Amino acid sequence: HLQIGTAQLTGGNYPNAMRELMVAEDLDPENEMIENNLGLVYFVREKYEMAEKHLAHALKIKPDFTDALNNLARVHIELGKFDLAIRELTKVLNDLTYQGAEKAWVNLGLAYFQKGDYQVAKNKFSEAIKLNRTHCLAHTLFGRAELELEDFTHASTELDKAIFFCKQDHFDEPHYYSGISYFRQGNREKGIARMEEVLRYYPNGKYAARAKNMIDEMNK
């Protein structure tokens, strides 16, 4: 059940993943991997308190489960517990055996980004990019931090890189913010073109409605 549930989670079938992992938990309630993966399913379904509960349980079972700590920190960012997440992620990065360091750097950058400390956030995202130069989310958030710092030219350059690296992830966020950065540079045509890409490639995506509204604003 753990194996099936994990495969369903990886494949994006979250209801089936939840079902299988809950069966696994009933059979083996003190299995840290089951608790971690249940936490991930609750996270992607935006049930953050439940995600926090299961990930904390995973760490209670296995205190040195660094991946679960990284995942818990990500949940804490969503819950607005930024300083707690930063402490957790510092501990994650101190584990030199952890193979997901680029994920931890992205999460650490996101915590600072959400706190409004965009320069520090940029530095953290750059550490992730050093480890993985094609990291979709790291490039996206780096560009967004530059946008917040009103460095619109560098923001559009970075976000255009993110568009390329994020193709296989079907991720609309860099298209949208690239359009914002071009518009703020005074390049209205390029900004509209990026928003139209959001609507063309991701009509049901997170940023589709925002892109439509931005096109209306840009055409005023």
Side-chain angles (χ1 to χ4, degrees), residues 102-116:
E102 71 273 14
K103 294 188 297 182
W105 282 115
V106 169
N107 286 342
L108 188 56
L110 183 60
Y112 281 105
F113 184 95
Q114 298 289 26
K115 286 187 72 173

Side-chain angles (χ1 to χ4, degrees), residues 100-206:
E102 71 273 14
K103 294 188 297 182
W105 282 115
V106 169
N107 286 342
L108 188 56
L110 183 60
Y112 281 105
F113 184 95
Q114 298 289 26
K115 286 187 72 173
D117 197 338
Y118 303 115
Q119 188 58 55
V120 173
K122 269 180 57 177
N123 294 339
K124 307 307 179 186
F125 298 137
S126 68
E127 292 295 329
I129 292 168
K130 286 178 188 176
L131 294 171
N132 182 353
R133 295 196 175 277
T134 65
H135 198 292
C136 161
L137 188 57
H139 282 286
T140 300
L141 292 171
F142 189 98
R144 285 193 59 189
E146 290 185 317
L147 183 57
E148 293 291 341
L149 291 166
E150 300 187 352
D151 188 349
F152 304 129
T153 300
H154 284 114
S156 60
T157 299
E158 195 65 30
L159 287 160
D160 286 350
K161 287 182 192 176
I163 287 170
F164 178 77
F165 294 133
C166 294
K167 280 183 181 178
Q168 65 183 10
D169 298 305
H170 306 291
F171 192 45
D172 57 352
E173 187 169 315
H175 287 267
Y176 177 79
Y177 285 104
S178 174
I180 297 290
S181 64
Y182 278 114
F183 183 64
R184 291 188 181 173
Q185 288 176 55
N187 191 337
R188 187 175 68 89
E189 289 185 2
K190 189 75 171 180
I192 291 173
R194 283 283 185 248
M195 296 301 169
E196 289 174 342
E197 287 172 4
V198 174
L199 297 176
R200 182 162 63 252
Y201 299 134
Y202 311 100
N204 300 313
K206 178 181 176 181

Side-chain angles (χ1 to χ4, degrees), residues 31-146:
N31 184 308
E32 71 276 6
M33 188 59 69
I34 294 170
E35 294 303 310
N36 178 72
N37 290 4
L38 270 170
L40 290 175
V41 178
Y42 279 112
F43 174 79
V44 297
R45 304 193 79 177
E46 300 182 0
K47 304 294 184 183
Y48 301 123
E49 288 81 6
M50 288 298 295
E52 181 182 35
K53 173 186 171 183
H54 285 282
L55 290 163
H57 189 193
L59 286 162
K60 183 178 179 181
I61 298 165
K62 191 174 190 295
D64 62 348
F65 191 180
T66 303
D67 199 43
L69 183 59
N70 183 50
N71 294 332
L72 181 60
R74 181 66 185 84
V75 171
H76 284 153
I77 292 169
E78 290 299 323
L79 291 172
K81 301 177 182 180
F82 306 129
D83 292 331
L84 174 58
I86 288 167
R87 291 195 298 272
E88 290 166 340
L89 290 162
T90 301
K91 186 175 178 181
V92 168
L93 289 165
N94 284 336
D95 180 359
L96 299 182
T97 69
Y98 182 50
Q99 295 184 357
E102 71 273 14
K103 294 188 297 182
W105 282 115
V106 169
N107 286 342
L108 188 56
L110 183 60
Y112 281 105
F113 184 95
Q114 298 289 26
K115 286 187 72 173
D117 197 338
Y118 303 115
Q119 188 58 55
V120 173
K122 269 180 57 177
N123 294 339
K124 307 307 179 186
F125 298 137
S126 68
E127 292 295 329
I129 292 168
K130 286 178 188 176
L131 294 171
N132 182 353
R133 295 196 175 277
T134 65
H135 198 292
C136 161
L137 188 57
H139 282 286
T140 300
L141 292 171
F142 189 98
R144 285 193 59 189
E146 290 185 317

